Amino acid sequence: MGFTIGGIREMRSGGARRRVRTTECTAVAEYTGLWGWDVVPGARAVSGQCSCGDPACTAPGAHPLSFAEPVPAGAGLDDATKAWAEYPGAALLLPVGTAFDVIEVAEAAGRRALVRLERMGLPLGPVCATPTGRARFFVAPGAAAELPQLLYRMGWDDADLDLHCLGPGTYITAPPSDLGGLGPVRWLRPPTLDTAGAPPQARLLLGTLAYICHRTH
């Protein structure tokens, strides 16, 4: 048994496929119904090739499917399951810039910063880790546009920091989906009802993240 996205076939047993579909549909419904996020069906990478079918794809397994409609925030389990059934095997992508922006750092630095931020009692949003060794901190929308000025005010504008911000027009792969054929994205700090809809302002976390990144670099 298998399924196809844009012409790439991925082999799975029938039972495994059903379990994955159930897990993914539940995750989609959780993201839309509980956390209030849109979910966009995305491509996947199989044996180094993108399921979009373009051999020259510059982001294999890490971009939205051009023909797919997003599942909107607010969709419940039945609606999410029905919508996701139209794109079997798609990866779960979250659009950045509406409900949240993302500050991305090396995972090692992110884990250290997460411990320190929790000890300091600072507000935190969801945090996920990618198989490429990156940690992604969800922060309030607008962070990407504000980042250069925030770093300048904090005195980190000239520092060589492995710290980036993702904003409008970008997408991130969400757990439990696979990123580019390298492995699944996982939560370091899962979303909650309090944090999903109101992630913290970037300025509350940026000083600690920049300091840890500078020390780890």
Side-chain angles (χ1 to χ4, degrees), residues 14-211:
R17 183 178 64 179
R18 285 190 294 273
R19 284 193 297 274
V20 168
R21 282 186 178 177
T22 299
T23 299
E24 290 176 347
C25 288
T26 300
V28 172
E30 185 176 88
Y31 292 154
T32 58
L34 283 180
W35 314 139
W37 299 336
D38 294 340
V39 182
V40 178
R44 277 188 161 155
V46 182
S47 302
Q49 292 182 292
C50 187
S51 61
C52 70
D54 181 0
C57 180
T58 58
H63 65 84
L65 294 170
S66 60
F67 53 83
E69 294 292 329
V71 183
L77 180 58
D78 290 343
D79 289 339
T81 299
K82 181 178 179 180
W84 208 253
E86 299 295 320
Y87 313 106
L92 281 67
L93 300 186
L94 303 177
V96 181
T98 303
F100 56 84
D101 279 7
V102 170
I103 297 178
E104 182 183 282
V105 299
E107 184 178 345
R111 286 181 178 275
R112 293 190 185 99
L114 186 56
V115 171
R116 177 168 295 201
L117 290 164
E118 288 175 338
R119 287 176 178 170
M120 294 169 67
L122 291 174
L124 283 165
V127 184
C128 65
T130 74
T132 56
R134 308 296 291 176
R136 291 172 167 172
F137 288 73
F138 289 37
V139 293
E146 298 170 359
L147 185 66
Q149 186 64 23
L150 288 172
L151 289 173
Y152 175 77
R153 290 176 181 174
M154 294 178 180
W156 291 107
D157 57 310
D158 292 330
D160 183 15
L161 299 176
D162 183 10
L163 183 154
H164 310 282
C165 200
L166 307 178
T170 60
Y171 298 82
I172 61 169
T173 303
S177 288
D178 175 277
L179 174 61
L182 300 174
V185 178
R186 62 198 186 283
W187 290 115
L188 297 181
R189 194 174 193 274
T192 66
L193 291 175
D194 292 332
T195 64
Q201 295 294 321
R203 58 181 173 80
L204 299 177
L205 313 182
L206 193 56
T208 299
L209 286 170
Y211 174 75

